[in-house]
Amino acid sequence: MLFDSNVFNMIDWTVNGVEPCTGMYIRTIPIASLPSCQLQGPTLDLALRFNQFNANDYGFGVGWELTLTRVDVENGASTLILANGQRYRILSVSGNTVNLQYKNTLTFNCTTTGTGQYTIIYKNGFIEELVNYQIRTLTAPNNKKIYFNWYADQSFSIQDENQNRTGKGYMVSSTWQGTKHVVTTPRGSIAYETLIIANTRLRSLASVTTFIGIGLLELYTAKYQSHNEKYLYITDMASTIDSYQHDVIKYKTIMAPPGMPGSIYTVSSVEFNISGTYQKETFIKTIYSLSTANYTGYPQVTTWQNGVDNLESLPDSFSFSTTATTDNKRKILCSYNKFYLLLSEQPMAPEDYPDSNKPGKLVKYEYQLVANSGISSQSSTFMLPVTIKKIRQDYNTTTKQLQQISYDTQYRYDNYSNITRCTNPDGTVDDYTYYPSSGSIQQGIVYCPPDPGGFVNYLNKKTTTPFSNTPNYLRIYTYTYIAIANTNLIQPSEVTFSALARGSARYLSTGPKKNTHIRPTPAVRSMAR
């Protein structure tokens, strides 16, 4: 990466377009979405994702990353990059445990068995094993696997467990045909044409094509501009997927602290074709602007430091905002705190400001943060909102004044990012309790087996408390689970519904009886990424 910042761990890398916090233009090109092991194994969701601050070429041109977990080693530093785009600097190794910088979340664990060999165990039961810094296997909770093979020319092949065992067939395979990296799946072959950009040594992904019948279909085309010598950003992106889409992107440099390793470019405007055809394009323009303060910490960071997040030591009052104005008809203002967490999102007319005395709406987010402290002092769920306020500002015809009406949803979490309480805008409260990671056995009866990964994962009880003006009883769901032999699967075995008089241990005779079993599988709710 061009520079070090925890912002790359906090943003949503699935955005297809301008990411509002950083102003990066991110694009994702799907490669394959295929089930494995005769529908019994994990689904392979493979895509390319563009990152303008990554100078590496993984076989598809500079900046294009496969959406697979890997470890990048640059300038003597190792960084774990997860499939979802999150990035953690590897600080040290103690025994088999890998110490990841700024990893507060407890939704995954990372261990190592040697140089370039890592195992990532996720809360959802999936396991990834890396060999030579690249993913080798993906294992589902039912122990079905997908195998990844990597070759010296940056081509690759992917097999499910059955194909790997017999040595026959591939889910996905790739090979080079001149400058084209050709990827083949059961649905056909797609060619990713890579070309050297003029006056540089940088290889770029110029086009993506496939054959339909006897004709060549161009799926994507892209144009680029180099920056900071070995990096690229996209200036033109076109696609025929669904309908003809065409973006023309312009950039500007932003102010950054002294000592920043390079110039920081953000999108200044995007012209988007809305006609759906290349024959007669009609563009609308979105203009992007930033507050004086921005995600580099400017102007309060006086000297940039490499290897750390430069905003975490700033005062809690530090914030910055970005604005997107479309076709001079509507703008959206987003504001962020020093941890790059979204504080508010407000659509408005181009001429308006956040405090304009006009009807409108606003969404605010609040977080449970330790005051005047850095990232390491925050909880494992500091990035999850504890309050979401959806505010409407309407004109009161009686008072002839504007009034605000707020619809608040409040959340509480345990250390593993499970929701433990949700207070809804209508006043009803949902409380959730979970079995410990060690499971629960009482009087020889197994209510919940231990979690294979050591996480708190399984819902024990959900209690819904109505608003005080509604009927005075609670609705309670209680869950029990069983382990599936020869797998890491833990599945619900019983769901018990009961109605309980508030403040009483007596079950209502008019309600469903205790131990009435129903079939729906409970969803363990989590807002963790």
Side-chain angles (χ1 to χ4, degrees), residues 34-84:
L34 298 170
S36 65
C37 303
Q38 280 122 17
L39 303 179
Q40 297 180 57
T43 296
L44 173 67
D45 286 314
L46 185 62
L48 288 172
R49 177 173 53 226
F50 186 75
N51 176 2
Q52 70 183 60
F53 294 124
N54 190 345
N56 291 323
D57 181 348
Y58 304 97
F60 295 90
V62 168
W64 287 99
E65 309 170 342
L66 286 165
T67 55
L68 296 172
T69 298
R70 66 184 188 279
V71 170
D72 280 350
V73 180
E74 298 179 283
N75 301 319
S78 298
T79 303
L80 172 68
I81 297 99
L82 301 182
N84 63 7

Side-chain angles (χ1 to χ4, degrees), residues 212-230:
I212 299 293
I214 59 173
L216 184 68
L217 176 62
E218 199 168 59
L219 302 176
Y220 296 91
T221 60
K223 298 177 182 177
Y224 306 84
Q225 175 66 47
S226 64
H227 68 96
N228 294 289
E229 297 183 357
K230 57 181 182 178

Side-chain angles (χ1 to χ4, degrees), residues 406-462:
S406 181
Y407 300 91
D408 298 355
T409 304
Q410 297 178 331
Y411 298 96
R412 294 293 181 268
Y413 310 91
D414 64 13
N415 291 337
Y416 290 87
S417 300
N418 299 305
I419 295 176
T420 57
R421 168 167 284 200
C422 175
T423 303
N424 298 287
D426 63 2
T428 60
V429 177
D430 293 320
D431 286 301
Y432 303 86
T433 60
Y434 298 85
Y435 288 105
S437 59
S438 57
S440 177
I441 301 176
Q442 300 176 26
Q443 297 179 346
I445 300 175
V446 178
Y447 289 90
C448 182
D451 182 73
F455 300 96
V456 173
N457 240 335
Y458 304 106
L459 186 61
N460 180 358
K461 182 184 295 184
K462 174 187 175 183

Side-chain angles (χ1 to χ4, degrees), residues 162-376:
N162 300 331
Q163 294 166 334
N164 182 265
R165 184 176 59 253
T166 61
K168 297 179 180 179
Y170 299 98
M171 296 178 67
V172 181
S173 63
S174 78
T175 187
W176 285 93
Q177 296 179 6
T179 60
K180 295 180 179 179
H181 195 164
V182 180
V183 178
T184 301
T185 74
R187 297 171 182 172
S189 295
I190 298 177
Y192 298 79
E193 174 109 28
T194 59
L195 300 175
I196 302 297
I197 293 180
N199 303 317
T200 76
R201 295 182 179 180
L202 304 178
R203 185 171 64 172
S204 67
L205 177 62
S207 65
V208 181
T209 57
T210 188
F211 278 96
I212 299 293
I214 59 173
L216 184 68
L217 176 62
E218 199 168 59
L219 302 176
Y220 296 91
T221 60
K223 298 177 182 177
Y224 306 84
Q225 175 66 47
S226 64
H227 68 96
N228 294 289
E229 297 183 357
K230 57 181 182 178
Y231 299 85
L232 298 176
Y233 57 67
I234 297 174
T235 59
D236 190 287
M237 189 83 187
S239 170
T240 59
I241 304 297
D242 295 329
S243 61
Y244 183 72
Q245 304 168 49
H246 186 192
D247 289 358
V248 179
I249 310 102
K250 295 183 179 179
Y251 295 79
K252 62 183 177 183
T253 57
I254 62 173
M255 298 298 292
M260 176 67 75
S263 300
I264 308 304
Y265 288 85
T266 65
V267 172
S268 60
S269 68
V270 175
E271 293 184 76
F272 174 71
N273 173 36
I274 61 171
S275 69
T277 176
Y278 63 89
Q279 295 175 327
K280 187 177 181 181
E281 295 187 273
T282 302
F283 288 92
I284 61 172
K285 187 175 185 179
T286 298
I287 298 174
Y288 297 87
S289 60
L290 294 83
S291 58
T292 301
N294 60 51
Y295 75 98
T296 67
Y298 179 88
Q300 288 195 247
V301 173
T302 56
T303 303
W304 185 263
Q305 298 181 53
N306 293 320
V308 298
D309 183 81
N310 283 253
L311 272 65
E312 66 168 330
S313 60
L314 293 180
D316 291 349
S317 59
F318 179 83
S319 65
F320 60 95
S321 61
T322 62
T323 303
T325 305
T326 301
D327 202 27
N328 202 30
K329 294 179 180 178
R330 185 187 188 220
K331 71 178 180 181
I332 298 178
L333 174 68
C334 296
S335 62
Y336 301 85
N337 67 9
K338 70 175 186 177
F339 297 118
Y340 318 103
L341 299 173
L342 181 63
L343 296 176
S344 65
E345 187 175 21
Q346 185 172 8
M348 64 187 84
E351 67 274 11
D352 289 344
Y353 297 92
D355 56 354
S356 295
N357 195 28
K358 290 184 179 180
K361 58 184 179 179
L362 166 68
V363 182
K364 289 185 175 182
Y365 302 85
E366 298 176 357
Y367 304 87
Q368 193 73 43
L369 301 175
V370 179
N372 305 313
S373 299
I375 298 170
S376 62

Side-chain angles (χ1 to χ4, degrees), residues 116-141:
Q117 300 182 48
Y118 300 88
T119 300
I120 300 96
I121 301 175
Y122 295 91
K123 182 172 175 284
N124 63 8
F126 282 80
I127 301 173
E128 295 173 330
E129 292 181 297
L130 276 61
V131 176
N132 293 328
Y133 305 101
Q134 294 178 298
I135 187 168
R136 171 56 178 156
T137 61
L138 170 63
T139 305

